[in-house]
């Protein structure tokens, strides 16, 4: 049985920056939960950040740029939390490897977990195309990453993996 790495907030765990969860009630996601496929992780908490915590955004690029040292993750007040995001991404990858995970479903728009969209670094609520730090690291290591709004695509990918 394939396991799926999943943002812990999508399971309703109150680990987001504001102390809330964003539980997914998608029927396929619920089935995977019941089957015991889901491996929860919150990279930001794993990286040592508290709950709640100040919101953070990537400045100067995307998640891959943070991995390569060309961009930073900063809070609204300018505190540099890049190392926490890098450590959280590494721990998420370690968790994926420990469970033989080949795919993940992560929280869109997060500076860690964003898959196709993150915020632009201005704290204005403006989104830009791009990935978060954890997504970039997982993808670099061959793990397919899907956002919570692409569960049907993820299900098709899972079916292909299990063939």
């Amino acid at each position: 049985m394939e396991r799926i790495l999943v943002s812990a907030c999508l399971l309703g765990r109150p680990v987001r920056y504001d102390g809330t969860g964003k539980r997914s009630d998608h029927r396929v996601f619920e089935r995977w939960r019941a089957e015991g496929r889901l491996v929860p992780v919150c990279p930001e908490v794993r990286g040592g950040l508290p709950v709640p915590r100040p919101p953070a955004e990537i400045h100067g690029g995307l998640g891959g740029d943070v991995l390569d040292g060309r961009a930073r993750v900063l809070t609204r007040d300018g505190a540099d939390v890049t190392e926490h995001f890098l450590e959280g991404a590494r721990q998420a990858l370690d968790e994926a490897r420990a469970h033989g995970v080949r795919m993940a479903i992560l929280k869109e728009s997060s500076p860690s977990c964003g898959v196709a969209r993150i915020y632009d670094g201005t704290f204005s609520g403006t989104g830009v195309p791009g990935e978060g730090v954890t997504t970039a690291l997982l993808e670099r290591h061959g793990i397919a990453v899907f956002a919570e709004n692409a569960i049907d695509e993820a299900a098709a990918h899972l079916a292909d993996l299990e063939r």
Side-chain angles (χ1 to χ4, degrees), residues 4-11 13 15-16 38-47 53 87-96 99 101 103-107 110 112-113 134 138:
I4 304 164
L5 194 73
V6 61
S7 293
C9 63
L10 296 176
L11 294 171
R13 295 184 182 174
V15 294
R16 296 184 73 233
L38 303 180
V39 177
V41 65
C42 176
E44 294 171 27
V45 171
R46 287 280 187 96
R53 58 189 167 274
E87 177 60 22
R90 288 188 290 264
Q91 289 206 21
L93 178 60
D94 289 347
E95 189 76 14
H99 292 279
V101 165
M103 67 178 281
I105 299 174
L106 302 181
K107 180 71 186 102
S110 159
S112 288
C113 298
T134 297
L138 294 175

Side-chain angles (χ1 to χ4, degrees), residues 14-22 51-53:
V15 294
R16 296 184 73 233
Y17 75 95
D18 59 0
T20 66
K22 284 284 187 176
V51 177
R53 58 189 167 274

Side-chain angles (χ1 to χ4, degrees), residues 5-73:
L5 194 73
V6 61
S7 293
C9 63
L10 296 176
L11 294 171
R13 295 184 182 174
V15 294
R16 296 184 73 233
Y17 75 95
D18 59 0
T20 66
K22 284 284 187 176
R23 183 180 172 98
S24 173
D25 294 321
H26 191 286
R27 61 180 174 67
V28 174
F29 193 81
E30 287 297 318
R31 185 181 78 230
W32 291 338
R33 180 193 327 253
E35 292 171 351
R37 291 179 182 269
L38 303 180
V39 177
V41 65
C42 176
E44 294 171 27
V45 171
R46 287 280 187 96
L49 293 171
V51 177
R53 58 189 167 274
E57 294 185 6
I58 298 174
H59 290 256
L62 306 173
D65 299 310
V66 174
L67 294 176
D68 297 335
R70 294 189 305 265
R72 309 296 293 163
V73 185

Side-chain angles (χ1 to χ4, degrees), residues 101-142:
V101 165
R102 297 190 289 168
M103 67 178 281
I105 299 174
L106 302 181
K107 180 71 186 102
E108 191 65 278
S109 303
S110 159
S112 288
C113 298
V115 178
R117 178 182 179 273
I118 59 171
Y119 292 107
D120 71 354
T122 64
F123 296 94
S124 64
T126 303
V128 294
E131 79 288 341
V133 179
T134 297
T135 296
L137 185 63
L138 294 175
E139 288 179 340
R140 283 185 182 184
H141 289 271

